[in-house]
Amino acid sequence: MKKELKWIIAVLVFALFIGGAYLLYDKLGEKFAPDRLAESTPSEETPNEDAPPEETEKAPDFTVYDREGNEVTLYGMRGKPTVVNFWASWCPPCKEELPDFEKMYLEMGDEVNFMMVDMTDGYQETKEKGEDYVKEQGFTFPLYFDLDQDAAYTYGIQSLPTTVFYDREGNMITYAMGMIDYETLLKGIGMITE
């Protein structure tokens, strides 16, 4: 009898665990879906001409390095809308979304700056690993390396991939934490090129 009671309790605990996991997945899955940008995006409603203009968030500057070792800053990208993607070659969701960034870069690279920032830490991710992965995949987008972790610290990057969208004046318009799909990338670019 005790054995049967233990099995019944174990099955009930397992069922509660599965139910809780499902609810948590459902709630978080909606928040971090690959087709969703941050909630802080400008309203898509028809603007009220009498209302004051919405404030935008000035982007903090950071310094990264190009393949030749030259310093490149975010502020140096002003004048054109800019998409910054923080990624690493060991990150499966990063690797999954990079072909979409390459496709978008080939389509819009003349109109939009793309800063593909490899989050190098010198251990798990090195400049060589990032360069090798990009070369192996045949990507042609502009590649930068966060060798001093300046971008990581400035933006508090804790999740890869992370993508941030800036307008031509350097104002942060929206961002996405986690993998995004092509349609979401296109939507974000539409928000900064309007």
Side-chain angles (χ1 to χ4, degrees):
M1 187 70 168
K2 285 185 180 182
K3 211 176 199 181
E4 289 175 9
L5 184 59
K6 285 182 183 180
W7 272 103
I8 291 171
I9 291 172
V11 168
L12 288 173
V13 167
F14 182 71
L16 285 172
F17 174 76
I18 295 296
Y22 173 78
L23 292 173
L24 186 61
Y25 175 80
D26 191 46
K27 183 174 179 115
L28 289 178
E30 186 178 300
K31 183 176 180 185
F32 295 105
D35 62 346
R36 188 144 177 199
L37 296 171
E39 295 288 331
S40 62
T41 60
S43 171
E44 293 182 13
E45 297 174 14
T46 306
N48 177 353
E49 293 178 15
D50 297 329
E54 290 185 28
E55 287 188 35
T56 54
E57 185 176 341
K58 284 287 184 197
D61 197 15
F62 61 79
T63 301
V64 292
Y65 300 87
D66 65 15
R67 290 180 176 191
E68 291 76 38
N70 301 310
E71 287 187 359
V72 178
T73 64
L74 177 63
Y75 284 3
M77 297 289 171
R78 288 182 177 167
K80 280 171 62 172
T82 301
V83 177
V84 179
N85 178 260
F86 299 100
W87 69 281
S89 64
W90 53 261
C91 165
C94 300
K95 292 162 106 174
E96 192 170 331
E97 75 175 6
L98 286 178
D100 289 335
F101 282 87
E102 173 70 11
K103 181 179 178 185
M104 187 62 70
Y105 168 70
L106 293 173
E107 292 173 13
M108 300 192 73
D110 293 335
E111 303 164 48
V112 176
N113 292 319
F114 286 82
M115 291 186 77
M116 305 303 291
V117 180
D118 185 12
M119 302 301 287
T120 53
D121 61 6
Y123 303 105
Q124 189 171 11
E125 184 73 4
T126 63
K127 180 180 179 194
E128 293 75 25
K129 287 179 184 178
E131 283 183 315
D132 289 347
Y133 181 74
V134 166
K135 183 177 178 182
E136 175 186 300
Q137 297 301 312
F139 295 140
T140 60
F141 49 63
L143 180 59
Y144 303 95
F145 302 94
D146 191 19
L147 300 175
D148 303 325
Q149 289 79 49
D150 186 41
Y153 293 133
T154 300
Y155 280 80
I157 302 297
Q158 298 176 356
S159 172
L160 294 180
T162 294
T163 306
V164 187
F165 298 86
Y166 305 93
D167 66 15
R168 66 187 79 256
E169 287 81 35
N171 299 309
M172 182 187 303
I173 302 301
T174 190
Y175 66 93
M177 292 176 57
M179 188 185 87
I180 60 174
D181 57 20
Y182 181 81
E183 289 75 24
T184 305
L185 179 57
L186 187 60
K187 179 181 177 184
I189 288 174
M191 295 170 71
I192 60 175
T193 57
E194 295 176 333

